[in-house]
Amino acid sequence: SLKNGGSGAHYRWGQSAREVTIAINAGSRRGRDFRVEINRSRVSVAARSCGDEWQHLLRGELQRPVLTDECEWSVEDGSLIIALAKDGRLGAEAEWWTGVLAGEDTLEARTADAVAYAALEGLPEEERHLATKALAMSSGLDAVHALAAKAAAASDGAGGGGAGSRAGSGA
């Protein structure tokens, strides 16, 4: 399940402190049936529809810049998975996305999880605090107390973050 994200017209998305993950239903399509183009500030995803026809599923300016050399995509279990590496040089507060594309606000507050976003990434306490603050600002004031309690529990707990396996580059 994708946390800290939402849904667009043809996709679902989620985020951690370091990455935005986009999932698009691939059906029976394989890697060669997709055209994925990612640059620092734009993304374009098209799928083969009929013959030589291509349908755009996602296209536009990204909400924040990404590190293109660290972005990857693959087709897994019936989904096109795109991993966009956030540009961490912008600072923790600047890294909270409210949508994939510029001007979008598709963040679903009910999927927000400060622990999954920050603590599990193994961030230092100060960065974890900034991420929780950004989450609270994005999710509304009613979530502030719950998020603060989660962040405090995470920093008092066993800590440690898992490193997930990364999918290979596009096919």
Side-chain angles (χ1 to χ4, degrees):
S1 166
L2 296 170
K3 294 196 184 265
N4 302 317
S7 298
H10 298 285
Y11 62 93
R12 295 178 338 278
W13 70 279
Q15 66 184 310
S16 68
R18 292 183 174 86
E19 186 174 273
V20 171
T21 303
I22 303 166
I24 298 173
N25 183 3
S28 61
R29 295 181 186 110
R30 299 191 303 207
R32 69 175 181 232
D33 297 320
F34 289 97
R35 288 185 184 160
V36 179
E37 297 174 19
I38 302 166
N39 68 37
R40 182 158 172 74
S41 62
R42 296 188 63 78
V43 64
S44 175
V45 179
R48 186 183 312 271
S49 55
C50 297
D52 290 335
E53 298 292 318
W54 293 86
Q55 174 190 7
H56 282 280
L57 303 176
L58 176 64
R59 178 172 53 176
E61 184 177 341
L62 292 168
Q63 190 159 109
R64 306 244 187 265
V66 297
L67 301 171
T68 55
D69 290 345
E70 296 178 28
C71 295
E72 301 174 333
W73 67 274
S74 63
V75 176
E76 310 170 3
D77 301 322
S79 291
L80 170 64
I81 306 295
I82 303 168
L84 301 174
K86 292 179 175 181
D87 186 346
R89 298 173 294 185
L90 299 176
E93 278 192 86
E95 290 303 309
W96 184 256
W97 292 31
T98 58
V100 173
L101 300 178
E104 248 184 4
D105 186 359
T106 57
L107 180 67
E108 296 171 4
R110 63 180 168 72
T111 71
D113 184 344
V115 174
Y117 177 75
L120 295 180
E121 291 292 327
L123 294 174
E125 184 176 342
E126 181 178 329
E127 288 183 39
R128 192 168 48 241
H129 171 72
L130 288 173
T132 302
K133 180 178 169 185
L135 178 62
M137 289 169 42
S138 296
S139 298
L141 296 176
D142 58 337
V144 172
H145 296 291
L147 294 171
K150 278 187 180 183
S155 64
D156 292 340
S165 60
R166 295 187 67 90
S169 290

